[in-house]
Amino acid sequence: DLVGEAHTKTISSLFMESWRTEMEEEINRINQVLPDTQTRDKTDEIQQWVDAVLDKMDHYKAEHHRYVKEGVTLLELALWKAKLDEKDESAAAGRTKKKAKIDAESVRKERRVTCGADTVIKNVLPFLQLE
């Protein structure tokens, strides 16, 4: 097995099924090409195939990383928004006639820090990483 178990695991954890299919097709391509290749050209053919597989894998790893980064950003924003909404509801319920002047920007920043995104992301991220 030229590809090995480590790469097989990485391929199976790729984000999109089309990427997995394309990688499997690229890996299996050598089985169709090599039998018809002359002996003197086999080494070059294998090297080109290995380069093509590694290039494609690097491309999909980069794309996977981009999707994970985008997803983590969206998750952080969703948690922050939920914290903002939660605080807004509790503030509306407990309003008094005397309104305190609060710096809205500093409140938003404080809620971003206290929304728990760092803890949630730290625990979710391992499930999104490639093996």
Side-chain angles (χ1 to χ4, degrees):
D1 186 27
L2 290 173
V3 177
E5 188 177 324
H7 292 305
T8 304
K9 270 186 140 178
T10 301
I11 292 166
S12 67
S13 62
L14 285 172
F15 179 66
M16 298 183 76
E17 187 175 340
S18 63
W19 297 353
R20 292 188 297 273
T21 302
E22 197 170 324
M23 283 304 304
E24 289 168 0
E25 288 172 358
E26 183 65 33
I27 289 167
N28 292 329
R29 182 180 62 85
I30 196 69
N31 296 326
Q32 281 77 45
V33 173
L34 214 51
D36 297 330
T37 305
Q38 293 184 6
T39 305
R40 69 176 185 272
D41 297 329
K42 286 190 186 228
T43 302
D44 290 338
E45 190 66 43
I46 290 170
Q47 185 59 53
Q48 289 174 3
W49 170 77
V50 167
D51 290 343
V53 167
L54 293 177
D55 286 347
K56 196 168 287 229
M57 181 57 78
D58 287 343
H59 169 73
Y60 288 140
K61 282 181 178 179
E63 284 297 301
H64 183 90
H65 179 73
R66 187 177 65 79
Y67 278 118
V68 167
K69 188 175 178 181
E70 184 178 315
V72 166
T73 301
L74 290 172
L75 178 58
E76 180 181 9
L77 289 171
L79 291 167
W80 183 24
K81 173 137 178 37
K83 188 72 166 182
L84 287 172
D85 291 346
E86 174 186 297
K87 294 290 183 174
D88 288 344
E89 288 173 10
S90 64
R95 273 202 186 132
T96 61
K97 292 182 180 183
K98 195 176 190 182
K99 291 185 180 179
K101 254 188 172 179
I102 300 174
D103 181 11
E105 188 66 27
S106 66
V107 169
R108 288 176 61 82
K109 286 180 183 178
E110 180 268 330
R111 290 181 184 160
R112 184 171 187 194
V113 171
T114 61
C115 72
D118 55 340
T119 303
V120 172
I121 289 169
K122 180 178 69 175
N123 290 304
V124 168
L125 207 51
F127 294 100
L128 303 176
Q129 298 301 321
L130 290 174
E131 293 190 28

